[in-house]
Amino acid sequence: MFEDLKREVLQAALESYREGLFAGTSGNLSIYDRKNGVMIITPTNLPYEGMKEKDLVAINLQGEVIDGIHAPSSEWRLHAAVYAAREDCNAVVHTHSPYATSFAVTHEEIPLILIEMVPFLGGNVRVAKFAINGTPEVGTYAVEALEKRFACLLANHGAMAIGADLAKAKLSAVYLEDAAKIYAFARNHGEVKILSKDVELAMRKKYNLD
Ligand SMILES: [Zn+2]
């Protein structure tokens, strides 16, 4: 069941692992078939090396397994909360990528410092309030921080990116890590200039974001 979606999820998971967005068994991603109310998500506690399509899990937004031989990622509630709240998003990539996560640790948002943060991330990157991983609060707080955004940081935990499809969510996750790295470098050698509200509004208009 859901072979095409499983293939897409597996490919993105393996790529994320090779690119260093995921380390060990950390990080997880999913895609949502909104018409059928089915999410395909990476399994819990399984190394990415050697992961196969049959290892992916199909669940509904209540976490009930529809198809699969493993339990879903322990972070499935985070994914489900986003799909319930954001009809514009059908894919979620959750990482512990080091530069982005370093700002999640200091509870500092990444301000709007790069013009392309608007199309890829929706603007500045906020930090969602702290919650124990796997609890419903992780999702509730993430949805708050994601208002009009495609990415956020999870306090003392990690980072996440969302998108209309998996390719877009994955690209946003990569871009988020890159923006966090550039922000860290810039702060080390000078005064960071944040883009003005006028520029932000002009960019939102250019990309039809409201
Ligand atoms: Zn996590």
Side-chain angles (χ1 to χ4, degrees), residues 12-13 16-17 19-24 26-29 42 48 93-96:
S16 300
Y17 179 67
E19 291 165 3
L21 279 179
F22 292 171
S26 84
N28 40 75
L29 56 83
T42 44
Y48 291 100
V93 178
H94 163 52
T95 79
H96 302 164

Side-chain angles (χ1 to χ4, degrees), residues 20-154:
L21 279 179
F22 292 171
T25 59
S26 84
N28 40 75
L29 56 83
S30 73
I31 202 165
Y32 187 46
D33 175 350
R34 193 166 289 278
K35 200 168 62 176
N36 294 307
V38 176
M39 178 201 316
I40 310 292
I41 188 165
T42 44
T44 189
N45 270 330
L46 196 77
Y48 291 100
E49 209 79 78
M51 192 179 280
K52 300 277 184 289
E53 281 166 34
K54 65 173 172 55
D55 294 318
L56 300 171
V57 192
I59 60 173
N60 61 21
L61 292 193
Q62 288 71 49
E64 292 159 350
V65 175
I66 295 163
D67 178 48
I69 52 174
H70 300 288
S73 162
S74 58
E75 310 269 17
W76 68 265
R77 285 187 184 84
L78 173 64
H79 297 242
V82 169
Y83 296 137
R86 291 285 296 263
E87 292 201 350
D88 59 327
C89 287
N90 301 304
V92 171
V93 178
H94 163 52
T95 79
H96 302 164
S97 62
Y99 279 94
T101 303
S102 74
F103 290 103
V105 168
T106 53
H107 294 202
E108 285 175 275
E109 72 164 40
I110 303 171
L112 186 59
I113 50 163
L114 297 162
I115 199 117
E116 288 195 319
M117 283 175 73
V118 175
F120 288 120
L121 308 178
N124 63 339
V125 183
R126 307 181 189 110
V127 185
K129 284 187 280 188
F130 177 78
I132 301 282
N133 56 318
T135 61
E137 286 75 23
V138 181
T140 309
Y141 298 156
V143 166
E144 273 174 25
L146 283 166
E147 194 190 353
K148 295 188 177 182
R149 297 291 182 273
F150 304 116
C152 74
L153 304 173
L154 306 173

